Amino acid sequence: GRRLFVRGLIPLPVHGLDEPYCIGAWAELAEHDWRMARQVWDQPGNDRIPEFPGVIANHLPRTYDISTQGLAVQVQLHDDMRPTFRLVDTAHPLEAEQRDGITPHRALHFTRLIDG
C-alpha cells in the first residue's frame, strides 16, 4: 500500500529559444520502476535507460482549468539533471503545449503563475 514518487521536470519547448521552459512536478511510479531509478540515480549513463511509465501526482496550480493530477507520463532519467516527464495519450492542453511548444509570452505567464 506504499506510494512512491520522483520529482522531475515537464519540459515545454519555447518557440525561438534553444532551452525549454520546465515545470517541476511529482510523478508516482510503480515500485519496480522506483527501485530501478533509485539504483541507477547517480550512475553515469543512466540517461540510456529506456523511458518508463509514471503518473503526474499533483495538480499544477493556476495553470489549467483541467487538473494535471493523474496524467500519464513517460519518465526519462538524466545524468546531470532531474528526470523529465513526457506526457502521453492524455488529450490535456499541457500535452499539446509540450508537443507543439509555447510562445515566450506563455513561458512568462507560467513563470508568474508558478513562481509568483
Side-chain angles (χ1 to χ4, degrees):
R2 184 168 68 157
R3 298 175 71 192
L4 301 165
F5 303 90
V6 65
R7 180 81 171 153
L9 302 171
I10 302 171
L12 303 175
V14 180
H15 302 159
L17 300 178
D18 293 334
E19 296 294 319
Y21 177 80
C22 293
I23 299 172
W26 289 93
E28 185 170 7
L29 305 179
E31 184 171 355
H32 66 280
D33 290 326
W34 183 85
R35 287 186 185 281
M36 178 274 305
R38 184 172 177 214
Q39 184 177 27
V40 300
W41 192 265
D42 292 321
Q43 292 181 6
N46 67 12
D47 57 337
R48 292 189 298 268
I49 292 175
E51 292 179 319
F52 50 93
V55 176
I56 297 293
N58 58 303
H59 174 65
L60 301 174
R62 300 178 287 171
T63 52
Y64 297 100
D65 292 335
I66 306 167
S67 179
T68 54
Q69 189 171 3
L71 296 178
V73 294
Q74 287 295 110
V75 179
Q76 180 64 61
L77 300 177
H78 297 279
D79 281 342
D80 58 350
M81 62 183 263
R82 291 191 178 276
T84 52
F85 304 148
R86 182 176 59 84
L87 282 84
V88 290
D89 300 325
T90 65
H92 191 280
L94 181 58
E95 181 181 8
E97 289 185 319
Q98 188 176 52
R99 180 186 59 246
D100 302 333
I102 60 174
T103 66
H105 183 271
R106 178 73 168 148
L108 180 61
H109 176 74
F110 274 119
T111 300
R112 289 183 176 157
L113 287 176
I114 294 172
D115 296 339

